[in-house]
Amino acid sequence: MPVHCRYSRSIRSHRLNRRLLQQRCDTLLRLLERRTATVSVVFIGDDEMASYNKQYRNKQGPTNVLSFPVIADTTNGFPHPENELGDILISVDTARRESMEQKCGLHHRLTDLIIHGMLHLIGYDHERSESEAELMWNYERQLFQQIQTTRSSSMPFLAINVDHVATIRQARGGVEPDPVLAASLCELAGADGIVVHLREDRRHIQDRDVRLLRQTVKTRLNLEMANVPEIIDLALEVKPDMITLVPEKREELTTEGGLDVLANAKDISRTIARMQEAGIPVSIFIDPDATQVQAALDAGATYVELHTGNYCDARTPEEQEQQYTLIEQVAELAYESGLKVNAGHGLDYRNVHPIAALPFIDELSIGHAVISRAVLVGMENAVREMLTIVRSM
Ligand code: PXP
């Protein structure tokens, strides 16, 4: 392994995704065209960093990153270790503080520091001149973007929401097209799960669909539902593989926003406890908002599904970037709190790629875009095309 990542015992309290960090380091070496080089990256705490900072730079207190390039020692007759770049020390405590100041995730900040440290190892130095500082800064940003869009941990699962197959059926009140058959085609094309929303007004999916899907879905059946007694009873009877609690308004065209977990904490906790007793994991559909993540955690949820609607509906690139950053930060926060993270709403063939590249997302839930495309190219083609994008990281 060209990059040896090591972790000090003093940083055990930080929930680090070691696999992700290792893969980001490896990707970085590849981008720098140093595949055969070896580097040691050591993640430590502030106390250790302060002592190295004093010893090697005669400076008080911790810093975020220190790089020690290998220097050829010709006096002892040993050859220069050509492939060895050196060591990078990173204080996770400092990175955590900086991530809070910069309003980004901890792993985002750690990635910045790994890139910075690595560029120092290969000879860049921002302290030499202003022009070199600018060159280094621009290169760092470019590398970060390349790493971020190279999803290096496992790909997200793709779950297809087949509600709108039922919408077409209900338009004539007959039996076709059948969402149960559509779900099987999605699975044949490689979808990892099937999602349906059994609404109180039964505008698309019917009870019969949910019962049949329970018998036919071979991947995972996720039942979206409002937290109301009638649907809770049905979920407990049918036992889907998981449920997702969503807000529901009769007059809305589709789910309009995340569930306010804070305002409904008691009812949600009660439902989660009942589902847990029945062995059904619960996800809560929330806006990308840190307080909702904490409330979902307190209520006992296993997953949160982050609402991607504002990102998808953004009217300018700046607004989309802002919404994307919010999803990235909150996904990381939720992951670090111990929740599993799904995302969905409004995702389509054009906007899904950056969301699929986020490392902390377990599953994407996509309906309208895939069903719309299926009308033109067939269900299996539509699912395969989406899978190609989601898995093209
Ligand atoms: N996730 C949730 C919670 C939803 O309510 C919906 C819409 O039913 C989706 C994902 C899928 O959204 P879209 O149909 O826009 O892909």
Side-chain angles (χ1 to χ4, degrees), residues 161 163 224 246 254-255 285 305 344-346 365-368:
N161 179 320
D163 288 353
E224 273 181 30
V246 298
T254 180
T255 317
F285 184 55
E305 180 179 330
H345 213 286
S365 169
I366 307 183
H368 190 266

Side-chain angles (χ1 to χ4, degrees), residues 129-146:
S129 69
E130 260 183 41
S131 63
E132 193 164 337
E134 198 181 328
L135 186 80
M136 189 169 170
W137 166 238
N138 286 337
Y139 196 21
E140 282 176 14
R141 278 202 307 197
Q142 183 198 325
L143 288 166
F144 184 86
Q145 269 180 355
Q146 285 176 284

